Amino acid sequence: LEAKEEFSHKTLAMDVMRPRRNDPPLTVITQDSMTVEDVEAIINETTYSGYPVVVSRESQRLVGFVLRRDLIISIENARKKQDGIVSTSIIYFTDHSPPLPPSSPSMLKLRSILDLSPFTVTDQTPMEIVVDIFRKLGLRQCLVTHNGKLLGIITKKDVLKHIAQLANQDPDSILFN
Ligand code: ADP
């Protein structure tokens, strides 16, 4: 058995979310400042099922969540079928996109593939509640915020691992699950 404090402290969303303390930061996409090649690089360098979209890196304000597979399909389609979409085209997830100078490449509007209300909890939410929400709402992932800023993500698999860990530490908990 682990130290007693494992039992006296409740596990919170911040203890289960990724990234962990020394991990690289969350991979996010900004709503109006990344190019097609920036986003393709993210798709190629990571295997996550989805990416939070934020107002800007500095603000870390959450705008929505975009699935990796929807991004791949939309960019592939746009490159094939939409005139003027090149590596340096800016991707917009915003409602309105600014008028571009005549010489700049066409922009790629992807607001339609954005989930504008992904489920979020604060970092202080007890995991018991998070587990309950995942079960009842059938969530695939949930974003974690602190003071309105995006902090991390918890996937269904993260929740399942957390439950498995609890069961190992505390055999009685199996009876309740
Ligand atoms: P799964 O948890 O089903 O393997 P993912 O491949 O999306 O789903 O996530 C793998 C791990 O990476 C999980 O622990 C998750 O919390 C974390 N993760 C998911 N999306 C991101 C992201 N955009 N940036 C950083 N970490 C992420």
Side-chain angles (χ1 to χ4, degrees):
L1 286 183
E2 291 296 317
K4 255 204 206 122
E5 55 182 359
E6 291 278 340
F7 298 101
S8 50
H9 289 294
K10 272 196 174 170
T11 309
L12 304 177
M14 63 177 296
D15 304 319
V16 173
M17 69 171 201
R18 305 303 157 107
R20 289 284 161 84
R21 220 172 288 276
N22 293 315
D23 285 351
L26 201 62
T27 302
V28 298
I29 295 176
T30 55
Q31 66 174 353
D32 60 4
S33 58
M34 289 176 79
T35 61
V36 165
E37 65 185 346
D38 291 336
V39 173
E40 284 172 337
I42 286 180
I43 291 169
N44 292 329
E45 286 158 19
T46 65
T47 59
Y48 305 128
S49 318
Y51 307 92
V53 174
V54 294
V55 171
S56 65
R57 274 181 207 291
E58 304 72 54
S59 75
Q60 288 293 312
R61 297 274 161 204
L62 183 65
V63 176
F65 191 79
V66 65
L67 290 178
R68 173 195 182 77
R69 57 159 194 271
D70 291 342
L71 265 182
I72 293 175
I73 292 169
S74 301
I75 293 176
E76 255 179 32
N77 268 337
R79 272 194 181 273
K80 267 189 235 153
K81 296 176 189 157
Q82 215 172 309
D83 271 347
I85 299 297
V86 292
S87 297
T88 52
S89 296
I90 302 266
I91 295 184
Y92 284 92
F93 291 96
T94 48
D95 220 350
H96 301 286
S97 34
L100 290 177
S103 59
S104 50
S106 305
M107 57 196 159
L108 177 51
K109 295 185 198 164
L110 292 185
R111 189 175 180 84
S112 60
I113 61 166
L114 191 60
D115 174 359
L116 289 165
S117 31
F119 212 90
T120 61
V121 295
T122 71
D123 56 342
Q124 298 301 312
T125 309
M127 274 310 289
E128 282 169 30
I129 293 176
V130 176
V131 170
D132 213 40
I133 294 171
F134 266 82
R135 285 210 177 109
K136 289 188 173 142
L137 300 184
L139 297 184
R140 303 303 306 262
Q141 69 276 314
C142 173
L143 298 170
V144 182
T145 60
H146 179 83
N147 289 340
K149 288 189 177 197
L150 179 64
L151 211 61
I153 186 167
I154 299 175
T155 66
K156 182 176 172 184
K157 218 180 261 178
D158 293 330
V159 170
L160 292 174
K161 278 187 213 154
H162 165 73
I163 294 172
Q165 216 177 359
L166 278 187
N168 280 339
Q169 281 172 8
D170 176 9
D172 286 341
S173 71
I174 296 168
L175 298 175
F176 299 106
N177 278 313

